Amino acid sequence: MLNIALPKGRLGEKVYELFEKAGYDCPSIKEKNRKLIFENKEKGISFFWVKPSDVSIYVERSAADIGVAGKDILLEYKPDVYELFDLGVGKCNMAVAAKKEFRDNGMRVLKVATKFTNIASDYYAGLGRDIDIIKLNGSIELAPILGLSDVIVDIVETGKTLKENNLEVKDIILPISARLIANKASFNFKREKIEKLISAIKGQVENSD
Ligand code: PRP
């Protein structure tokens, strides 16, 4: 069996569609129930949904052979996995945002609220800018509104959350998208199976371009 960890939520549904179109379908996944693992014995695959930020943990520790994780998670946590290729879905930007009127005069330590402390630290280190990192776990946009931080480093997809809260993008750090990742040992032991799956999915990704 090839065990596949998919990110729960909107992105995961899009990704499952790619697998399905590539011939790696698992009809039981569409049943409304509370099952956590879905198998297609004939195809030799099993899927399970996990929190997006947990996918790389399952893959790194061999609980899953392959998985789908955002580039943001791979850069932030640097899991010891193979990044196989860009699925071209879940496209968004990692960006610095702040209140529209905010101007960084560079004179004092910049307060940065984020879930992505490593990405933010690396970015500001590259600019030689001293920062005070405030680690939050969600609703990051509240921080500059309430004066908890000067700026945020967060994911911007449509820009709607920023706009509706009078915030704006000040800098784009890097583009993000979903990547197919593999456990290193699985990639060696199940190479043929994984490569077959990669080429089927690549075909779908190229078709949808
Ligand atoms: C993400 C991100 C932004 C929002 C951006 O939050 O942290 O808040 O999506 O999307 P938009 O540009 O399309 O408005 P998520 O929904 O993952 O929840 P979170 O607040 O827990 O981070």
Side-chain angles (χ1 to χ4, degrees), residues 115 137-141 154-162:
K115 260 196 265 194
N137 299 300
S139 304
I140 318 292
E141 291 83 358
D154 200 14
I155 280 172
V156 179
E157 193 182 351
T158 61
K160 220 169 153 203
T161 314
L162 293 180

Side-chain angles (χ1 to χ4, degrees), residues 48-137:
F48 52 91
W49 302 103
V50 297
K51 237 183 131 170
S53 52
D54 288 343
V55 169
S56 62
I57 302 174
Y58 282 84
V59 174
E60 182 177 28
R61 292 177 172 267
S62 307
D65 298 306
I66 59 173
V68 173
K71 185 70 180 170
D72 50 332
I73 301 295
L74 302 178
L75 288 170
E76 179 65 22
Y77 300 105
K78 299 189 170 55
D80 188 17
V81 298
Y82 288 136
E83 184 181 323
L84 301 176
F85 73 99
D86 188 344
L87 291 168
V89 292
K91 288 187 181 167
C92 51
N93 284 309
M94 183 64 69
V96 177
K99 281 186 182 171
K100 286 187 176 151
E101 61 273 23
F102 177 76
R103 299 281 175 275
D104 181 10
N105 61 17
M107 299 297 281
R108 56 184 184 84
V109 173
L110 186 71
K111 286 191 276 176
V112 182
T114 187
K115 260 196 265 194
F116 303 96
T117 54
N118 292 325
I119 293 176
S121 302
D122 290 350
Y123 172 69
Y124 283 105
L127 297 177
R129 182 77 174 90
D130 279 340
I131 60 165
D132 174 14
I133 285 259
I134 302 159
K135 159 93 172 142
L136 295 177
N137 299 300

